[in-house]
Amino acid sequence: MHAVETLVVGAGQAGLAVSRCLTAQGADHVVVERGRIAERWRSARWESLRLLTPNWMSRLPAWSYPGPDPDGYMTAPELVSYLEDYAGSFTAPVHENTTVELVEASGSGLRVVTDQGTWLARNVVVATGTENRAYLPPAASGIDPAIQQLTAGRYRGPEQVPGGGVLVVGASASGAQIADELRRAGRPVVISVGRHARLPRRYRGRDILWWMDRAGVLGQTIEQVHDARSARRAPSLQLSGRGRPVSLDALAAGGVRLAGRLVAADGQRLSFADDLPATIGGAQARMERLLSTIDGYLARRGGEGADPADPPAPFTTPAGPAKLDLRRAGISTVIWATGYQPAYPWLRVPVLDRHGQIAHHRGVTSVPGLYVLGLKFQYRRNSSFVDGVASDARFVAAHVMMRRMTARALSA
Ligand SMILES: Cc1cc2nc3c(=O)[nH]c(=O)nc-3n(C[C@H](O)[C@H](O)[C@H](O)COP(=O)(O)OP(=O)(O)OC[C@H]3O[C@@H](n4cnc5c(N)ncnc54)[C@H](O)[C@@H]3O)c2cc1C
């Protein structure tokens, strides 16, 4: 059995960020990763993906984008290199190809069983991301097994999808981008639209995320929103880093057929809710609120230097189809872009709530020494973004150091 003060599970941006903070404090720790550094960006992203956040928006503790194109958007392999370079910059103690199989209480610490041996740690930071389990709506189980089904995490590109039409379920960042790519590859595409976040890529002459950062929208804390649960379930932004809009009006203009929320499937026959105009109207209203927050910020700041407001024209559409027969429509593949859920089948300490999620406050759980990092809206709206994890990582690392000081003081 190896002993270590702190064991971090996962070497994505969250695990590396907390490792950087612990390194700065001289704290004994390891990072165990079941694949390689930034594994999700290697094996759970489609080939054409570009980040939807601009390059400058990749600030991690003691690390930022050094390249010539701060306003560009990295590919997934570029982000892998960026995170590998980050790990190399402080010789992060990463143990790759090491899967955590069990975490349980042991004496005053935590026993961590991996497929490469067992560790005894005073602290464990769970940084395993939010993509451990794809969420599929109940209708998924009713679909004819002859239809190929894929999750967005397994989608790689149009050539992987058998010939014929595709139904993409979900119209947030992944679903909208995948629908756009397949349509441009000449496929008939239907997209089933649920709650989504419509945004213009640019507003008043700047990237919309620049404004959201400046106006404090991304840094808003969970204590500042009135419904924390709903804020944590907010859909991802309907944006792309590939230089073309993936909003529903753009998709529809490109020939993608829009449908409401998928509610049931009976073999090849699918039913959709009659909610498309209302869903689109809701997204339009949320976008308008966001743009007026930005306008308010600008007005307070004096407004100098900003281009005039150029909000996108409202998009209206008639109700989508109530029914779709996949065979008749020539659809042979369904792609689920309906989101993910964190899952912790290996965590045997009493920190999971009734939804199977880790209960925490700012990453600190009720089990002494057990922390979590990188969750959606963990503390700030951008907690699960590359650019947002830094402040949570600093907070968790500071808590680990405080525990160490308290233990030393008690034993002195
Ligand atoms: C399609 C997509 C596009 C995105 N685009 C952007 C973007 O443009 N900009 C942005 O800021 N954010 C983006 N995000 C959000 C976020 O940045 C990513 O989800 C990111 O991967 C989260 O980093 P993380 O370190 O929290 O988790 P992950 O990257 O998921 O890292 C967790 C690591 O834990 C490892 N692991 C899991 N279980 C175990 C175990 N039992 N034992 C050992 N290791 C384990 C995994 O292999 C993985 O490497 C995107 C997300 C998705 C899904």
Side-chain angles (χ1 to χ4, degrees):
M1 179 129 62
H2 315 283
V4 68
E5 186 180 355
T6 301
L7 184 143
V8 180
V9 192
Q13 73 230 11
L16 295 176
V18 73
S19 175
R20 181 67 185 85
C21 298
L22 292 171
T23 300
Q25 304 279 347
D28 172 42
H29 72 286
V30 292
V31 182
V32 296
E33 164 57 53
R34 68 178 168 189
R36 295 169 62 199
I37 286 172
E39 184 57 42
R40 287 277 195 228
W41 296 98
R42 299 173 195 266
S43 53
R45 305 285 183 260
W46 58 94
E47 283 162 14
S48 67
L49 177 125
R50 282 184 178 268
L51 267 72
L52 54 81
T53 43
N55 294 339
W56 64 265
M57 218 180 194
S58 313
R59 298 164 294 195
L60 288 161
W63 195 247
S64 59
Y65 175 79
D69 187 16
D71 296 322
Y73 306 90
M74 281 184 233
T75 62
E78 284 167 350
L79 186 67
V80 170
S81 301
Y82 181 77
L83 293 177
E84 278 186 329
D85 290 350
Y86 183 43
S89 73
F90 60 97
T91 325
V94 180
H95 295 237
E96 292 184 319
N97 302 309
T98 304
T99 301
V100 169
E101 296 174 336
L102 176 73
V103 174
E104 64 181 7
S106 175
S108 60
L110 294 156
R111 195 169 81 98
V112 182
V113 179
T114 80
D115 59 356
Q116 304 295 325
T118 299
W119 295 81
L120 191 60
R122 260 180 68 71
N123 309 295
V124 168
V125 182
V126 177
T128 49
T130 56
E131 295 167 59
N132 299 298
R133 186 179 295 150
Y135 168 77
L136 300 189
S141 59
I143 291 184
D144 185 341
I147 298 290
Q148 148 132 332
Q149 296 187 47
L150 274 181
T151 59
R154 294 198 183 276
Y155 171 78
R156 293 292 164 269
E159 53 298 329
Q160 167 207 24
V161 177
V166 183
L167 169 68
V168 177
V169 184
S172 290
S174 296
Q177 291 181 39
I178 292 170
D180 176 56
E181 173 163 276
L182 288 165
R183 183 68 202 117
R184 282 167 189 270
R187 301 304 187 79
V189 178
V190 178
I191 188 165
S192 166
V193 177
R195 195 163 186 268
H196 59 277
R198 182 181 192 204
L199 286 180
R201 177 75 270 184
R202 295 180 71 77
Y203 183 61
R204 290 182 177 273
R206 294 270 191 183
D207 193 292
I208 188 73
L209 291 169
W210 186 89
W211 287 114
M212 289 170 75
D213 185 59
R214 286 301 159 100
V217 176
L218 295 175
Q220 201 179 21
T221 71
I222 200 74
E223 285 139 13
Q224 292 170 322
V225 298
H226 70 275
D227 183 349
R229 187 162 156 70
S230 145
R232 286 185 164 134
R233 290 154 60 101
S236 61
L237 311 175
Q238 206 181 53
L239 290 175
S240 161
R242 292 193 69 200
R244 55 190 192 229
V246 291
S247 53
L248 294 179
D249 51 339
L251 293 182
V256 174
R257 284 179 66 198
L258 309 184
R261 202 166 32 84
L262 176 66
V263 286
D266 179 9
Q268 301 263 352
R269 288 186 300 279
L270 309 188
S271 311
F272 299 96
D274 180 22
D275 60 357
L276 187 58
T279 304
I280 288 174
Q284 175 74 24
R286 287 191 295 279
M287 177 181 73
E288 285 167 7
R289 280 200 296 275
L290 172 71
L291 299 183
S292 64
T293 301
I294 291 170
D295 292 347
Y297 158 77
L298 199 56
R300 284 194 302 282
R301 206 197 74 174
E304 72 281 4
D307 290 0
D310 50 353
F315 172 53
T316 51
T317 182
K323 304 269 180 211
L324 181 73
D325 186 310
L326 294 176
R327 192 175 290 118
R328 280 206 208 131
I331 290 177
S332 50
T333 305
V334 175
I335 298 181
W336 301 104
T338 34
Y340 303 94
Q341 289 170 326
Y344 312 98
W346 39 267
L347 194 53
R348 306 277 165 74
V349 282
V351 286
L352 301 183
D353 65 17
R354 65 196 170 91
H355 306 287
Q357 302 307 311
I358 296 180
H360 69 94
H361 176 66
R362 299 192 69 173
V364 180
T365 77
S366 59
V367 170
L370 189 79
Y371 301 90
V372 64
L373 195 57
L375 296 180
K376 276 193 163 186
F377 222 140
Q378 171 154 320
Y379 186 58
R380 297 183 191 279
R381 193 180 295 282
N382 58 2
S383 282
S384 59
F385 287 12
V386 178
D387 200 58
V389 75
S391 71
D392 292 341
R394 289 191 186 100
F395 186 84
V396 163
H399 204 281
V400 165
M401 298 315 292
M402 206 172 64
R403 245 171 75 74
R404 178 205 256 190
M405 272 162 38
T406 310
R408 284 194 180 157
L410 289 176
S411 65

